[in-house]
Amino acid sequence: MTPKSQSQQTRRQLLRTSGAALATIGGAGIASQTASAQSDGDSQGILADGFEVEPDRSAFLKGYVAGVADRFSSYDDPATLADRMRNEFNANTDAWLRYGNWLLEEADVTAAGSATVGVDIGISRIPFNEPEDVVETHINAEYDDGTEEFVTLEWLDSPVDDPDFQVGLRNQAAQNGADDLSEFRRRYIGKSESDHEIPDDEYLNDLAGKYSSTLRIGEDSQTVLNILLGRSL
């Protein structure tokens, strides 16, 4: 995400991110970084700052081939795609809240704390051009410093003035956003904490390959999972 303000970092975040080694997902490869999530805004997701990942070239190439094929698919209009993502996410907010708080305790990740994230959903009919159609939405996250837990997550169908972070979902990332949210939830978010799982290396490498070309359309382009869980190169 592109940070809009450096003042959102809580005392807990300062303690946990200073000098931390972060590994993130979602770019044209897999890499580790040695910078705080707040000083490297591109690595920070709402719920996590990324996961430790071992490179898997086979999985990355498999995802890359699938992503290239997606580039020749047709896209729905951005308003429809925005509705699908919001509906999938908001219908399962409790599950994402439980998972985010579980990650803080079990996966040694750092959350972004309370924040508003402007999310633009856009479609570019001509590759590498700026999108012709854009729909502005935003995600609101509220974090309780006292209990050190997320208490609210909601995706709203409206723009927001002066968000803390601003990101874009473009083309394949926008088209597949609702399905990506649903697949991740089914695979890794259980009904109770004992059923939660950290995403495996094969899945993360496949995801990185799948969206490696999409993320080059505009500096703020990400996938819906990057917004929540962090990103890589």
Side-chain angles (χ1 to χ4, degrees):
M1 293 185 289
T2 302
K4 302 294 285 189
S5 170
Q6 298 296 323
S7 64
Q8 298 299 316
Q9 197 171 28
T10 66
R11 180 172 179 272
R12 182 179 193 229
Q13 288 171 286
L14 284 167
L15 291 172
R16 297 193 64 175
T17 65
S18 179
L22 308 180
T24 53
I25 64 174
I30 303 297
S32 294
Q33 303 173 50
T34 54
S36 75
Q38 201 67 19
S39 64
D40 180 6
D42 283 345
S43 71
Q44 178 69 73
I46 295 173
L47 299 176
D49 47 33
F51 300 103
E52 298 267 347
V53 185
E54 289 294 328
D56 184 334
R57 180 171 296 183
S58 177
F60 181 88
L61 290 176
K62 178 183 175 183
Y64 181 81
V65 170
V68 170
D70 278 351
R71 291 179 62 184
F72 298 98
S73 302
S74 59
Y75 302 121
D76 295 316
D77 66 277
T80 297
L81 299 178
D83 285 344
R84 289 176 186 166
M85 281 181 277
R86 288 190 308 101
N87 290 340
E88 163 61 28
F89 185 73
N90 289 335
N92 298 284
T93 296
D94 288 346
W96 283 100
L97 276 172
R98 290 194 305 270
Y99 188 71
N101 289 326
W102 175 80
L103 287 174
L104 292 176
E105 298 299 326
E106 301 295 333
D108 194 28
V109 302
T110 303
S114 295
T116 55
V117 182
V119 184
D120 296 342
I121 293 91
I123 297 298
S124 175
R125 309 295 175 182
I126 302 175
F128 304 109
N129 278 17
E130 289 298 312
E132 299 89 5
D133 304 314
V134 174
V135 170
E136 296 181 49
T137 70
H138 75 279
I139 297 173
N140 182 54
E142 294 184 13
Y143 182 83
D144 188 323
D145 290 323
T147 62
E148 297 188 332
E149 289 185 335
F150 284 102
V151 293
T152 299
L153 280 175
E154 56 182 343
W155 197 332
L156 302 172
D157 184 23
S158 62
V160 62
D161 294 331
D162 194 27
D164 300 300
F165 300 92
Q166 184 72 46
V167 296
L169 296 172
R170 302 289 181 256
N171 290 13
Q172 297 106 303
Q175 183 70 31
N176 299 335
D179 290 340
D180 287 342
L181 286 170
S182 177
E183 180 182 6
F184 188 94
R185 176 175 54 81
R186 291 195 307 269
R187 293 178 64 165
Y188 301 110
I189 302 179
K191 294 182 179 180
S192 65
E193 288 189 3
S194 61
D195 298 321
H196 294 337
E197 296 182 21
I198 300 296
D200 56 82
D201 292 336
E202 181 179 0
Y203 172 82
L204 296 177
N205 278 271
D206 181 270
L207 190 72
K210 182 178 180 181
Y211 290 115
S212 59
S213 60
T214 301
L215 298 183
R216 295 170 187 167
I217 302 177
E219 291 183 357
D220 65 346
S221 297
Q222 299 193 29
T223 75
V224 66
L225 295 177
N226 298 150
I227 295 172
L228 295 169
L229 302 172
R231 64 182 295 182
S232 64
L233 296 181

